[in-house]
Structures are given as structure tokens and as C-alpha cells.
Amino acid sequence: MNQIIGTSVSRKDGRAKVTGQATYGAEHQIQGLVHGYLVTATIAKGSIRTIDTQQAEATPGVMAVFTHKNPPKVFKPSNNFINSKIYEARLPLSDNTIHYAGQIVGLVVADTFERARDAAHQIEIEYETQPPQVNAHKANYQQAKSLFGEDMEYRSGEFETVNFSTDATATVEVTYTTEMEIHAPMEPHALVAHWEDRDSVTIYEPTQWVKGSQRTYAELLGVPVDRIRIISPYIGGAFGSKEFPWSHAILCVTAAREIQRPLKVVVSRRQMTTNTGHRSQTEQTIRLAANQEGKLRAIEHTAKSCTSPVEVFPEPCTGITPVMYTTPNMRLKPELAVLNVGTPTFMRGPGENPGMFALESAMDELAWELNIDPVELRLRNETKEHQRKKLPFSAKHFAECLKIGAEKFGWSQRQMQPRSQRRGDLLVGWGMASAAFPALRSMAEAKVSLLPDGTARVLTSANDMGTGAYTVVAMTAAETLGLPVKKVKVEFGDSVLPNGGMAGGSQMTATLTPAVLAACQKVLETAKAQNAEEAFVKLRESGLATYEATASSAPSEDGKKFAFNSWGAHFCEVTVDEEIARLRITRWVSVINIGRVLNSKTAASQIRGGFIMGIGQALMEECHFDPNTGYPVVYDLATYHYPAHADIPRIEVSFVGEPDFNFNPMGVRGCGEIGITGVSAAVANAVYHARGKRILSLPITPDKLL
Ligand code: MOS
């Protein structure tokens, strides 16, 4: 038996990445390449009165300057998530209105990057300026409309008639806030558009959704889909910010058609703070009512977030709440306001992540109020069904996550009383929180070839943004075909390949590996039909033939009987030096339930990555705006703080559970975003335990500890 699934395999793409052989979007070298530099608005609200490009156009090397007066030809896409999707509904350069600071108002094309940048700075713009609204606390909130057509408002039971003072032994009503976070991937947003003629274009761009991006560009450009080729073999971090074309990319591809030269556009770090998405700040109020035993009588979750004037994107914080704890009365109230800021979007655990910060902090408060251990409180309120979908969860092992995590951490040694644990002069705090993320899956196809030399090839348009997708696909094929992993070659990230689905919502592995499994099984059947089994083995070894099959896999009808979700529990130790307001995370245990673990190394690495990003959110990351100019006051990776190695302790990750075969034939649910959910709550709960004073606003920066 060739047992590969479940073992620890190093990344197949690791060597190419560390040796610099992996080629990212903007690194593609093309003969005759020219460079575009974005011109961005220096005001946050108003309009362009005059724009003078004469001097820029006369600068040596400049080939074209595009503004709203001469925008490149572009068509409005259907923008419906199914066929096509762009991040900002407003097309770039469509008029002279300014909606946020940093908005793209022009593109300068020159023979070198430096000349394009220099010319961009010579464009004179006179604005009609209005005072921008960038303060979330003063914004005008309204009921949030849904993102995918599902109603975001929700009510069950008789929430209004629950009398919080008489029906419940304990109540909690607290408001929590989180700050705006920017994605800040290592690879900046950048692309190269290469038109072979006026009818067909190759776009080298990191994208989490190759086929979706292909369709979207086809609509934007008004050409048939097969005239667009997307190349995206590697992505240097995306986190939700590279799923659809942003305005700079639309401008690059359309301008390249006008000038008939291969064109590269790289978004600078500063431009990325306003033009390539962020997670909105949130203000969430949780109301809980529980009886003496800690059984929840009511949960109310109100969540405010902000969007930009050019797109509707509510941070869906309340989505995870009906999944967590059972209660007869529930009310979810998402609200949205418009600010003069760049467009927010999906960012690792969109909604679930800030939502879990509020809910899991409130559960901690309830535990204190009732004098019940926080782990025990969660066990007592676990729900066996998805309370909105009214479906039982498949292969749920949340309770084991809590119990095993507590055991590994040594939770039973914890002194219940805050400020009661010390190490020398330091206060020691122990906190915990649950983790949860929905398990998603879509249709995908893969083509598998077994070659005469005893190797195999898997082809699919999927992509690997650093998650380990190349590796789990190779492992799936290797185990099914009876080959070592190194004999399997995997090709991703090209729109001419079979539809590999989207690397979004933590679904790539669960979507793609069943298709790879099906294609491998088809290859084996074909081979076996033509040869007796032993003969087939010999044939494979002697390398006499090639067998090929393409197969697809999609969610089944059977799967509709269940709700699918992944689960986990985080345990955190912090130390606080009160004199100098120094907070350190000193110990971390995560126990996660994702069905079957395909690659123990990359799966654990995903959880670690989620944890580290969660520490950024808990302690460091915040993007604020100058109230007068409406410009972000962070502008690079030095002013925007996120964790370094020295901030990160040893992280102990383990997995529990059984394969979830109701979900897919591989039994695997997603293992990406769940890692970050609950992290900031576990930290905040530990900080409370250490200090006896709760901090309700993230990030927990030193000033808040004084
Ligand atoms: Mo994810 S936030 O769907 O890349």
C-alpha cells in the first residue's frame, strides 16, 4: 500500500521559490515591454477641475498618458460573482469624481519605470475639494445588504420578549472594535498584459481565480473568452486581495490594447494601502443571556462595518454566530456605512474573523460572570446543527478540539482568578477561544496523464498562493496511481488548462483534490481495462504507453443533507510587564478539526500562518486616516506594523477528527482561514486574565496597557 495522504511532505514548489526560479506576474520578461505608473488622487473627496498632462507627455520616453479625458476603451462587466467580478463596480477613469484618497486618476506609460514615475509627478491637477468622511465612529450606518444574495439580517425565536434582567441569571452586553487592516502581501499587486494583436491577450497576473479572471477580462475587453489567456503559476500572498481584477489591472490591460505594446503595471506599497483592498474596521455589540448553568437563552450580534463609495462590501461578521452556540433566541444585525476610503474586500476569514473576536470575547465575559470555566461554558452550549440552515453538521469534532487543547495546554492548572498567576515580576494570563470556518467546495476538473517513463502529470488551472496546493495535488495523484510524490508533476495557473476552481474561502484543496482523485481513477480503469492488472504494473514499469483522463468533481446531492464547517480551539499564554506595558505571547496551542488532513506539514503551516496573522490583528495592525486629507497615515511595511519572528512563540498545532466523506471523496475540509479565527479573542482573554482589566478594542497596543 502506497500510503502518502496524511504524511508530511515538503512543498513541491519550495525549491523553485527559494532559488528564485518561480516567476511571479511582474517578473515575466517580454521583448519590448513598457511600463505604466499610476497617477493617484491627493484628495479624498471632490472632483478634478483641470488636469494638465502636457509637460508629462513631453518628458523623454513617455508614450501615452491616460486620464478620464481619454480613458482606454472598456466595457461594463456583468459583475455578478458567477460569470465575472471586479473589486470596484466603478470602472477606472470613468469620470472626474474623486471618492477616496489614492484613487487612480491616470496612467503614464513610458519606456522605463523611472521615466513613467517621473512623468506622473509632472501632471498638474486642480481639484474641487470637499471634506472627506473617513471617521467610522461618525458614519451613517444602515442595514447591510447581502453580498451573495443571502439575507444578512436574521432573527429566530422571540428575541424581543427575552427579558434580560428577569429571564437570565447572567447577561453580557459589550461593544468591541477592530481597526482597519490592509492585506500587505509580500508580492505587490502587479501584472503584465501582452496583446499579440488587437484580438488576443496574455495576462501575467497573480490571481486566486484563473478562470473567473479570464471571463471577467473577456467581458471588460469585449472579446471572446478564448482570446484571453491568464498565467498565474505563483502568488506571493493574496489573502483575498487577488481574487478579481482591481482598477489598476483593468487599466493596464485596456491601455496595453490601445498602445499595442506589452505593458507592465506595478502598484507601489503606498498605493496598495488605498487601491488593493483592506478589511474594514468593525464595531460589534454582543448581548448574551444565560441561565445559572450557563445555557444560552439569547444571542444578539450587531456588527457595523464600512465600505467605499464605489462598491458595496459589508464585512460579514455575523455569519458565523448561528454556527457556534445553541440558543432559542437569536438576532443578527449587520450594518454598513460609506466612507471616503478605498474599497474593502475579502481578507483572510472575512467576517468570521472579527465576528469571532467579539463573540468569543463575550463568551469569556459570560464565563467570568457565571464562574464557569470558559472551556466548560463552550461545551455546554455546543450546537449540533447549523441554526440558520437547520441541518446537522457532518463529522463535527469541536468538543475534542476543546478537550484535547485544554489537556495539551495544561488548562486544569489555571487559577480562575485574574492577576493570580505570576512569573517573577510578570503577570501571566491564560486565555482560550474557539475557532470555526465554513467548509466550502465547488466544481473542478483535472487532467491526469500517466507517461511511459513512469511519471505522471496533473494539469489544472488551479493555483497555489503559498498554501501547499501543488503538494496535496501531487500527493493525491501519487497515492492513487501508486507512484512516489516526486514522480508526479503538477502544472497550475494557466487558463488553457481544465477548470481548477478558485483559491478563495479556503476551498482549493476540498474542491480540487476530489477531481484529481477521479481523474487518476479513470486513468487506472482505462489502463486496467486494456491489460490484466499485473500486466498493467509491468506496463507502467516498462514504460510502454501513455494513459490520460480528464475528470471533474462537484458537490453532490447527498451533501445537501448536512452543514459543513471546520472547528478548532486556541489556547494562549501571555505575560504582561505592567511597568513598561510590555505584552508577550509566550505559548500557543491550537487543535483543529478539518476532516482528513492530507499533508500534515502544510496543513499545520496553514494554521501557523493564520495564528501569526491573528497576532498581527490582536497586537499591531491598524490603518488610520488623516482626518483632514483623508490619506492613510501608514504607507509601507515599516509604518504598518505586523509580527516579526521575535513576536512569535513556539506554536503547537494538532488535528483531530475523522475524514468527512459526506463532504467529498477525499474527506478533507478547508484548512486556511480557520487558523486566524478566534486568535485575537484568545489573546484578549489571556490579557484580561493577566491584568483583570479587559481591552475591548484591537489592536492591543502598549498605550492601552498603561
Ligand atoms: Mo480568502 S479571504 O477567500 O482569499
Side-chain angles (χ1 to χ4, degrees), residues 192-235:
V192 172
H194 183 198
W195 288 83
E196 275 97 277
D197 48 58
R198 291 209 142 253
D199 300 321
S200 67
V201 64
T202 303
I203 302 168
Y204 303 88
E205 183 182 23
T207 172
Q208 298 173 241
W209 192 23
V210 170
K211 292 281 189 180
S213 164
Q214 182 189 32
R215 284 197 300 269
T216 304
Y217 280 116
E219 289 188 13
L220 285 161
L221 294 160
V223 303
V225 172
D226 61 11
R227 291 301 161 121
I228 310 282
R229 184 164 178 197
I230 307 290
I231 306 280
S232 176
Y234 299 103
I235 305 179

Side-chain angles (χ1 to χ4, degrees), residues 208 238-241 243 346-350 465 503-506 673:
Q208 298 173 241
F239 319 121
S241 73
E243 293 188 70
F346 304 95
M347 179 173 178
R348 210 167 193 176
M465 49 177 168
S506 299
E673 290 155 282

Side-chain angles (χ1 to χ4, degrees), residues 203-390:
I203 302 168
Y204 303 88
E205 183 182 23
T207 172
Q208 298 173 241
W209 192 23
V210 170
K211 292 281 189 180
S213 164
Q214 182 189 32
R215 284 197 300 269
T216 304
Y217 280 116
E219 289 188 13
L220 285 161
L221 294 160
V223 303
V225 172
D226 61 11
R227 291 301 161 121
I228 310 282
R229 184 164 178 197
I230 307 290
I231 306 280
S232 176
Y234 299 103
I235 305 179
F239 319 121
S241 73
K242 291 172 183 166
E243 293 188 70
F244 320 114
W246 282 107
S247 290
H248 73 272
I250 299 170
L251 205 46
C252 174
V253 175
T254 53
R257 173 161 64 180
E258 308 273 321
I259 60 168
Q260 283 294 301
R261 290 286 293 270
L263 177 63
K264 181 197 291 199
V265 170
V266 177
V267 186
S268 72
R269 281 282 162 205
R270 172 146 207 173
Q271 290 168 346
M272 281 172 68
T273 62
T274 52
N275 293 352
T276 55
H278 62 264
R279 187 203 305 283
S280 170
Q281 58 278 77
T282 71
E283 183 184 312
Q284 302 177 67
T285 302
I286 303 275
R287 279 211 292 169
L288 301 177
N291 70 12
Q292 188 85 50
E293 286 76 49
K295 287 282 207 182
L296 286 162
R297 292 268 300 128
I299 303 178
E300 183 183 53
H301 189 169
T302 308
K304 294 175 176 170
S305 67
C306 301
T307 189
S308 77
V310 295
E311 179 65 47
V312 176
F313 187 91
E315 177 77 14
C317 296
T318 56
I320 199 74
T321 308
V323 169
M324 294 309 301
Y325 306 114
T326 185
T327 180
N329 306 294
M330 188 180 301
R331 178 145 194 218
L332 309 177
K333 286 186 355 189
E335 296 174 5
L336 185 66
V338 176
L339 294 182
N340 294 111
V341 298
T343 298
T345 193
F346 304 95
M347 179 173 178
R348 210 167 193 176
E352 291 84 9
N353 167 15
M356 288 288 276
F357 166 63
L359 182 64
E360 290 296 293
S361 297
M363 285 295 280
D364 201 61
E365 303 216 27
L366 184 64
W368 288 114
E369 196 153 321
L370 286 163
N371 200 27
I372 296 175
D373 182 274
V375 175
E376 177 59 29
L377 182 69
R378 284 160 174 85
L379 288 169
R380 284 185 197 174
N381 286 289
E382 181 187 2
T383 176
K384 292 291 174 198
E385 67 157 28
H386 190 301
Q387 294 174 90
R388 258 188 107 157
K389 294 183 176 165
K390 310 274 183 259

Side-chain angles (χ1 to χ4, degrees), residues 27 65 71 80 138 181 209 344 350 383 415 495 555 577 637 650 675:
E27 294 177 332
V65 178
N80 56 10
K138 293 185 185 156
E181 296 169 85
W209 192 23
T383 176
Q415 306 292 318
S495 59
D577 183 337
L637 297 183
R650 206 179 91 80

Side-chain angles (χ1 to χ4, degrees), residues 86-107:
I86 54 177
Y87 277 115
E88 291 186 333
R90 176 187 181 272
L91 290 168
L93 310 186
S94 49
D95 56 33
N96 68 335
T97 318
I98 305 299
H99 301 280
Y100 57 87
Q103 178 186 315
I104 298 169
V105 295
L107 178 76

